Amino acid sequence: MSEFTDYLQELLRDFGPIQAKRMFGGYGIYHQGLMFALIADDTLYLKADDQNRGEFTQLGLPAFCYVKQGKEVTMSYYQAPADMLEEPEQAIYWARLAYAAALRARPLKK
């Protein structure tokens, strides 16, 4: 596990336990079995949806994009604000926003 994921686990200690799982050259960040963030190129991205996307766009934060078969693909994850990584209270606020979006996005059980 990278130093960044170790730091993130410490930063989000009061949010609750998180797990970092390797995926596609980065990490998926999970809480209670649900992915709410990802790390790519040592940059943290948080889950967004229609209810919280405005918080990211107001700050001018970019969405996570990658190129697949020559086409740019944008995912529903936005770069975390810089102050999140420096202030535990902000880290918990943003983690809760992202986790709530992940909860809303999970499929309904039948």
Side-chain angles (χ1 to χ4, degrees):
M1 196 153 332
S2 75
E3 287 182 31
F4 187 61
T5 58
D6 291 343
Y7 174 72
L8 196 56
Q9 287 181 330
E10 179 63 26
L11 184 66
L12 294 174
R13 182 181 62 240
D14 291 339
F15 169 67
I18 63 168
Q19 296 79 40
K21 298 179 184 178
R22 283 201 68 48
M23 56 178 269
F24 311 114
Y27 294 93
I29 306 298
Y30 294 79
H31 176 64
Q32 297 182 348
L34 194 59
M35 187 170 144
F36 72 99
L38 64 87
I39 298 171
D41 298 322
D42 285 330
T43 301
L44 178 65
Y45 296 88
L46 302 169
K47 181 73 174 159
D49 65 6
D50 289 342
Q51 291 187 35
N52 72 356
R53 187 174 293 110
E55 298 236 19
F56 295 95
T57 57
Q58 278 183 328
L59 296 175
L61 298 166
F64 176 71
C65 300
Y66 66 96
V67 176
K68 181 178 181 178
Q69 298 176 343
K71 295 183 181 181
E72 187 171 88
V73 177
T74 302
M75 294 182 64
S76 59
Y77 289 83
Y78 279 73
Q79 186 174 333
D83 62 348
M84 176 193 171
L85 298 174
E86 298 168 6
E87 300 174 23
E89 299 82 21
Q90 285 295 310
I92 291 166
Y93 171 80
W94 286 97
R96 286 183 178 148
L97 274 181
Y99 185 69
L103 284 170
R104 290 188 293 269
R106 72 180 172 186
L108 296 176
K109 293 182 180 179
K110 293 182 180 185

